[in-house]
Amino acid sequence: MSTPNISKKDIINAFQFRHATKEFDTTKKLSDEEINFILQTANLSPSSFGFEPWHFVVVQDQELRELLKPVAWGAPLKLDTASHFILGLSMKAPMTKWDSEYIMHMMKDVKQLPAEAIEMYSKFYREFQERDFNLDNDKKMFDWASKQTYIALGNMMTAAALTGIDSCPIEGFHQEKAEALLREKFDIDTDKYGLSFMVAFGHRKAAPPFAKSRRDFNDIVSWK
């Protein structure tokens, strides 16, 4: 596979272009090709041990979008105007435990590792959970899985910006109520998955009202 041919300037320009779009232009919808490209970058994102503890639900049904509004205070305007609205789900503890059926499936069927490699991976992963990161309860396990899912979120938003598409990540929701809704109306098994974030994609209705502001570069980077 050839090395990607994209300039550093183009990448920085995309980061300058990207902003948390509060309202989208409802007349400008993303094509199937565009949204599938964005989702493919999630599919190709890295994750700890390569175990991909995520699932993404694209919510296009307007009735389902309406149901989300009461449990997601940060989403109503985006739900009304975004071309595509995605829920980022992360696996809960039963799915990601070192000896779970899912982890075995990933090693045997997806990665197609030989038996000796599976034994080695399992040993390292168990030590990682029980000793290195002390993932000794369900909340810690879900938080770890969410960290992986956020990598995919960042990649989706960056890929969108590189192609002139706007986005807005959303954490403004009541997690318990939102997950109850996902269980009741979205057919999501919330024993296996929890909601980590929502994200909207489309094209901005208007330019950002103010310039991008960030802390000084030297305040966030140190060299030793």
Side-chain angles (χ1 to χ4, degrees):
M1 186 171 292
S2 61
T3 302
N5 183 23
I6 182 169
S7 73
K8 297 179 181 67
K9 182 179 179 181
D10 286 341
I11 295 171
I12 293 299
N13 284 343
F15 276 86
Q16 292 286 0
F17 165 82
R18 193 217 64 78
H19 79 109
T21 303
K22 300 300 187 291
E23 184 174 5
F24 296 87
D25 187 338
T26 58
T27 68
K28 297 179 179 179
K29 300 297 184 182
L30 304 188
S31 66
D32 290 344
E33 181 182 7
E34 287 173 319
I35 193 61
N36 285 334
F37 159 73
I38 290 170
L39 290 165
Q40 189 174 16
T41 67
N43 183 220
L44 291 172
S45 292
S47 58
S48 184
F49 288 86
F51 285 150
E52 307 172 43
W54 51 51
H55 186 79
F56 304 96
V57 180
V58 186
V59 185
Q60 296 303 92
D61 185 283
Q62 196 57 48
E63 290 185 8
L64 291 179
R65 287 195 183 191
E66 287 294 326
L67 291 176
L68 285 169
K69 289 180 181 180
V71 300
W73 55 264
L77 190 55
K78 275 79 82 175
L79 285 163
D80 283 339
T81 62
S83 172
H84 289 73
F85 195 89
I86 297 175
L87 308 178
L89 308 182
S90 301
M91 291 181 180
K92 292 184 175 180
M95 295 279 284
T96 54
K97 194 170 183 296
W98 68 272
D99 59 349
S100 71
E101 182 179 342
Y102 172 76
I103 296 300
M104 292 299 115
H105 160 69
M106 286 297 297
M107 292 191 288
K108 291 180 181 179
D109 304 321
V110 178
K111 297 180 178 297
Q112 298 185 346
L113 298 175
E116 60 272 17
I118 291 175
E119 184 178 357
M120 180 186 69
Y121 248 70
S122 295
K123 177 178 180 293
F124 288 155
Y125 188 44
R126 181 177 186 176
E127 290 177 351
F128 169 80
Q129 287 190 336
E130 296 180 352
R131 182 192 66 190
D132 298 337
F133 267 52
N134 192 29
L135 303 177
D136 58 359
N137 61 54
D138 290 356
K139 184 181 186 306
K140 288 182 180 180
M141 289 285 282
F142 179 71
D143 288 346
W144 170 82
S146 289
K147 290 178 182 178
Q148 314 313 310
T149 312
Y150 268 75
I151 296 172
L153 170 64
N155 287 338
M156 285 193 289
M157 292 193 300
T158 298
L162 282 164
T163 53
I165 295 169
D166 289 296
S167 63
C168 185
I170 301 159
E171 284 187 323
F173 56 86
H174 189 290
Q175 194 169 44
E176 185 177 345
K177 292 179 180 178
E179 289 186 10
L181 178 66
L182 296 185
R183 181 172 58 253
E184 294 166 8
K185 299 296 184 179
F186 287 70
D187 197 29
I188 301 296
D189 186 344
T190 54
D191 290 331
K192 294 181 177 179
Y193 290 96
L195 180 61
S196 291
F197 61 78
M198 303 174 179
V199 59
F201 292 98
H203 290 283
R204 65 190 67 179
K205 183 176 182 180
F210 42 80
K212 188 183 292 290
S213 61
R214 290 294 186 273
R215 292 164 59 195
D216 186 88
F217 183 81
N218 292 319
D219 288 340
I220 68 163
V221 178
S222 59
W223 298 77
K224 304 295 184 183

